[in-house]
């Protein structure tokens, strides 16, 4: 997952910057970001059910092949059309691997160590969140956009050597209860704890999406180089690594809902301040603080999902959460691009800050009711 996510995160940065180099409009950049998520949005629940039935090995293999192929397309085509095709392949492949591996970790864990194990997996994502933008930024500056994609394609290709380990461990990660034959996704949405987690997970996804989509655009408007933009985004990833390294301490001292409420509050404050700043050191600091807040979200959300999911349907529940996230990835970049062009950067950041503040109130009410 580190190698696959590195390519996915790096490609999100490279897609935006390459499109701008090809004279794409902010709306076109938003469409590219949306394509990373539109097919995953439609297929996540089905992929989760497939993983519940088959285990993680085959979906993981498919993920590695699709992500590698997706990163190769811009190198081969060097066109806006190629960037659109790459977005679809990269998003679909990463979704498949993300669901498979998260489901495997959940099944291989116990209630006592589940939060810690998801924290360890999240550390892997944080590692790639740091390396992906930095590697991509320097590759673009030194080799150009197309060759940067060729470099990114090598990471999931190298991960294929590790796939036999996933296959050998698949038996341990398989479900112990078969999912019901007449299962429907609405059954999961009727479960109040799951529904609350899906809502908060969606808000955190919005916060993450705004950062990955708007920071490259904001950096270009400030005249920053690709390397500097990569360092700002890498600062965010470094912070997620730091906070996830302390997940054991956080899990001992705070409930999941307390941690999620704090994450939303931090996100609201940072987005209130971010568009008022143009100095790179301050942008680096704000990105780091934002990473501390949003970095707590994923392991806590995944722990809550596996705790509240019906037997044999954890993968499907992860798929629902992935659908919520990808709905955010699909529609919000389009809205971000349109609003950014019409209103400018400051109102857009402040709209999201207001949404995060509303999420603080919602999560605060759920702390006692859902715990």
């Amino acid at each position: 997952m580190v190698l696959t996510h590195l390519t996915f995160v790096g490609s999100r940065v490279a897609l935006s910057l390459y499109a701008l180099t090809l004279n794409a409009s902010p709306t076109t950049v938003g469409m590219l970001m949306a394509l990373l998520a539109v097919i995953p949005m439609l297929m996540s629940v089905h992929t989760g059910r497939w993983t519940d039935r088959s285990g993680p090995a085959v979906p993981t293999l498919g993920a590695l092949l699709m992500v590698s192929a997706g990163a190769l397309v811009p190198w081969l085509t060097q066109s806006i059309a190629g960037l659109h095709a790459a977005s679809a392949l990269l998003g679909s492949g990463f979704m498949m691997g993300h669901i498979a591996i998260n489901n495997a970790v959940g099944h291989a864990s116990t209630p006592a160590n589940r939060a810690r194990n998801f924290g360890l997996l999240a550390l892997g994502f944080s590692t790639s969140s740091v390396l992906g933008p930095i590697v991509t930024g320097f590759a673009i500056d030194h080799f150009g956009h197309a060759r940067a994609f060729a470099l990114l394609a090598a990471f999931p290709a190298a991960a294929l050597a590790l796939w036999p380990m996933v296959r050998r461990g698949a038996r341990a990660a398989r479900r112990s209860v078969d999912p019901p034959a007449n299962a429907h996704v609405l059954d999961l949405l009727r479960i109040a704890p799951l529904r609350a987690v899906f809502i908060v997970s969606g808000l955190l996804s919005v916060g993450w999406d705004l950062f990955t989509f708007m920071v490259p655009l904001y950096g270009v408007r400030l005249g920053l180089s690709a390397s500097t933009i990569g360092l700002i985004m890498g600062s965010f990833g470094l912070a997620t690594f730091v906070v996830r390294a302390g997940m054991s301490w956080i899990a001992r001292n705070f409930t999941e809902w307390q941690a999620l409420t704090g994450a939303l509050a931090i996100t609201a404050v940072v987005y209130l301040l971010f568009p008022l700043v143009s100095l790179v050191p301050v942008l680096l600091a704000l990105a780091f603080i934002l990473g501390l807040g949003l970095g707590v979200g994923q392991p806590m959300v995944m722990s809550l999902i596996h705790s509240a999911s019906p037997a044999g349907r954890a993968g499907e529940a992860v798929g629902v959460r992935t659908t919520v996230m990808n709905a955010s990835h699909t529609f919000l970049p389009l809205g971000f691009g349109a609003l950014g062009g019409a209103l400018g950067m400051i109102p857009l950041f402040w709209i999201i800050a207001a949404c995060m503040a509303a999420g603080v109130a919602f999560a605060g009410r759920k702390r006692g009711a859902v715990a």
Side-chain angles (χ1 to χ4, degrees), residues 5-22:
H5 190 237
L6 189 155
T7 296
F8 181 75
V9 173
S11 294
R12 292 190 72 163
V13 178
L15 286 168
S16 298
L17 297 179
Y18 198 6
L20 293 172
T21 300
L22 296 173

Side-chain angles (χ1 to χ4, degrees), residues 17-314:
L17 297 179
Y18 198 6
L20 293 172
T21 300
L22 296 173
N23 298 316
S25 67
T27 302
T28 299
V29 176
M31 291 180 65
L32 286 171
M33 296 299 101
L35 274 175
L36 284 168
V38 63
I39 297 176
M41 179 185 68
L42 300 174
M43 297 303 297
S44 293
V45 173
H46 298 288
T47 301
R49 289 172 178 167
W50 175 32
T51 304
D52 281 332
R53 294 191 303 268
S54 68
V58 175
T60 301
L61 176 61
L64 295 174
L65 294 173
M66 291 178 68
V67 172
S68 185
L72 283 174
V73 170
W75 176 57
L76 295 172
T77 62
Q78 301 185 29
S79 66
I80 292 292
L83 295 182
H84 283 83
S87 294
L89 283 170
L90 288 162
S92 300
F94 178 71
M95 173 273 295
M96 190 180 299
H98 180 267
I99 291 176
I101 296 301
N102 272 281
N103 199 21
V105 170
H107 282 298
S109 303
T110 66
N113 64 17
R114 185 173 289 126
R116 180 186 66 87
N117 288 348
F118 277 115
L120 292 174
L121 179 62
L123 277 177
F125 285 117
S126 296
T127 301
S128 49
S129 294
V130 173
L131 294 177
I134 294 175
V135 168
T136 301
F138 281 98
I140 290 172
D141 284 345
H142 289 85
F143 307 116
H145 294 83
R147 290 181 180 177
F149 275 105
L151 174 63
L152 291 172
F155 293 104
L160 288 169
L162 301 173
W163 179 74
M165 298 174 63
V166 177
R167 183 176 56 184
R168 287 195 298 270
R171 182 176 302 174
R174 287 286 299 275
R175 69 203 183 281
S176 57
V177 179
D178 288 332
N182 59 347
H184 195 282
V185 68
L186 291 179
D187 300 335
L188 299 178
L189 297 178
R190 293 188 184 101
I191 301 173
L194 275 178
R195 188 169 61 248
V197 174
F198 293 150
I199 291 171
V200 171
S201 178
L203 286 171
L204 294 172
S205 181
V206 169
W208 205 296
D209 286 343
L210 179 62
F211 182 81
T212 57
F213 174 68
M214 293 300 294
V215 167
L217 295 178
Y218 189 52
V220 168
R221 291 194 180 186
L222 292 177
L224 304 180
S225 68
S227 300
T228 301
I229 294 171
L231 286 172
I232 292 171
M233 301 187 76
S235 176
F236 173 89
L238 176 61
T240 67
F241 184 92
V242 170
V243 75
R244 288 167 177 177
M247 281 302 300
S248 296
W249 180 86
I250 293 172
R252 287 195 305 269
N253 291 276
F254 300 95
T255 67
E256 286 93 341
W257 281 102
Q258 287 173 334
L260 292 175
T261 303
L264 290 166
I266 290 172
T267 304
V269 172
V270 170
Y271 281 136
L272 182 66
L273 299 176
F274 204 91
L276 304 178
V277 174
S278 59
L279 296 176
V280 172
V282 183
L283 292 173
L284 288 168
L286 288 175
F288 188 85
I289 294 170
L290 182 64
L292 292 177
L294 291 177
V296 173
Q298 180 180 332
M300 292 302 186
V301 164
M302 295 307 302
S303 178
L304 286 170
I305 285 176
H306 277 268
S307 298
S309 297
R313 300 185 69 182

